[in-house]
Amino acid sequence: EGRFALDDRVVGFFPEHLPDTVSDNLAAMTVRDLLTMRTGHATGISGGEWRGLAGSWVAAFLREPVAEPPGHSFIYSSASSYMLSAIVSRTTGQTAHAYLRPRMIEPLGMSALSWDTSPEGISTGGNGLSCTTEDVLKFGVLHLNHGQWGGRQLLPAAWVREATGRQVEQVALGRLDGRRYQAPTAADRASSEQREGYGYQWWMAPHGGCRASGVFGQQCVVLPRHDAVIAITAGLPDTTPRLMQAIWTHLLPALDGGGTQAAEAALSTRLASLALPGPIGATHAALAASLAGARFGFPPNEEGVAEIALDFTADACRFSLTDRRGTHSITSGFGDGIEGDTTMTGNTLHHQYQPASLRVVAQAAWPAPDRLELQWRFVETAFCDTVTLHFDGDRVRLDRRVNANAGAMRLAPVTGYRA
């Protein structure tokens, strides 16, 4: 729509947020540099770095030292994607989410997807987008079809070709320390995280393809030579190389050949038998009766846990936790999971995400007579928490771990005492 150009300078959009001294490297940074992740920064900012930041994220980005001239070295950074979103907002007066709704989201028939906003009211750009696997698939098919959908040209074909083409030669993702991507070392460049190149916010993929890639296994893989799109939503630890290897080793060859009735039958049988594992243990314990209505207080601790309370029915356990955010409850089923909503704090284990409310499916079991295990699957996220309560007289030790995170996978245990 001609609202800005790829070679426009980033500093020109945000004069009110510029630092007192604008370096030559910062002054030279363009929209194209943001698109290709070649901003000249020494490290890349992960979403977890900024989610707790209350001030302007634009100002925080412009304060980052630009170590070298932009347009050369690749460093993956969600902050670059955020700045693109901020430029859309500055030039249209809308969030990127609102701007895309009539132009792409509604024409594609996507779900009522949601997109987080920063404290300054800007769509977060490189993260915080919640949608269905089918939405991911539609986005990929739009690009497979050169920007056309249902006879309408939603994106210019020339743009799709440029965005999904190789703008940067082979790149390495680098190491994520929980908050920042460190520039790739020689070892990184020789590892499985070496990638085929980068376009405009698209990774290049083998076999002439490209992919939009999110942390913990979110993938949209476009394969024009096979007229195929692969959409994945997942909750995996740092296993993207393993996931992609499975696609190239097992799925891709199958796209070139026909199936057999025997193979189809085997697949149907396997799909029908797949299930997520729940906690292992007994559904009843003698200790439960004495714990009904029990409350345990905790000394000051890093996670701010002040108190937990327990209540039991024949087939469920209600667990409540009080911390600096308030009191939060989850009811877990012994046997079948129980679905509900919760405000339970989880940001430390959840890549710093903390929505106001989370959908959860919860199960419980007694692995031992004095140990209760709770499994919380936050089904609209990548995260599954396991909470273990070890009882010893009037004491309880609370352990909590998660299936996937960019930072700590486990919280330090805390011990409480019965009130």
Side-chain angles (χ1 to χ4, degrees), residues 1 193 204 207 399:
E1 296 178 352
E193 277 300 272
M204 299 300 97
H207 310 285
D399 285 292

Side-chain angles (χ1 to χ4, degrees), residues 207 226 245-258:
H207 310 285
H226 295 81
Q245 184 180 27
I247 290 175
W248 307 135
T249 303
H250 301 289
L251 184 55
L252 188 74
L255 297 179
D256 289 323

Side-chain angles (χ1 to χ4, degrees), residues 14 49 60 66 70 87 113 126 139-140 146 179 183 186 192 205 223 278 314 343 351 385 404 410:
F14 308 104
E49 171 87 355
V66 185
I87 289 170
L113 54 81
F139 182 74
H146 314 290
R179 292 184 177 273
S192 57
L223 298 170
T343 61
H351 200 38
D385 290 11
R410 184 176 220 121

